[in-house]
Amino acid sequence: MPVKRRLSKWRTTIPPGDWEMTFYSGTDFLNELADYGLETDQQVREAAREAWAQHGRAYMATWQPEPEKPLPWAAHEFGLPEGYENAR
């Protein structure tokens, strides 16, 4: 029986770019995070909180608001990144 990978070992190795779809929509539609052991929506959403704290400010620096989507899912779910208001 294969050994289950521990999520805590993999979170820190996920490049910020692989979080873009999840930060935008709350779902990993392209399964970019499956290679890191995040295979279910529940696992993705739990890991997204930590990733948002780490990469959210950089993501919001490139965010282009849309009329129907002024903020990404992660900003609604976890709040704006710390220091974001001062960054603009």
Side-chain angles (χ1 to χ4, degrees):
M1 184 168 174
V3 176
K4 183 178 178 181
R5 292 182 283 181
R6 291 183 51 195
L7 181 60
S8 61
K9 290 183 180 179
W10 296 94
R11 283 187 195 168
T12 57
T13 62
I14 301 174
D18 287 353
W19 285 106
E20 287 183 16
M21 179 62 70
T22 303
F23 288 166
Y24 179 82
S25 67
T27 303
D28 181 27
F29 289 113
L30 305 176
N31 291 325
E32 293 176 306
L33 302 175
D35 291 339
Y36 303 103
L38 302 173
E39 297 172 354
T40 67
D41 284 340
Q42 171 105 13
Q43 291 172 325
V44 169
R45 288 177 182 231
E46 288 174 5
R49 178 180 300 279
E50 183 178 319
W52 182 248
Q54 186 175 11
H55 305 298
R57 188 169 178 193
Y59 179 82
M60 289 302 294
T62 63
W63 173 253
Q64 296 295 319
E66 302 167 6
E68 65 280 350
K69 194 165 185 82
L71 288 174
W73 168 84
H76 283 290
E77 187 73 15
F78 310 122
L80 289 172
E82 186 174 320
Y84 171 69
E85 296 82 6
N86 298 332
R88 290 211 163 178

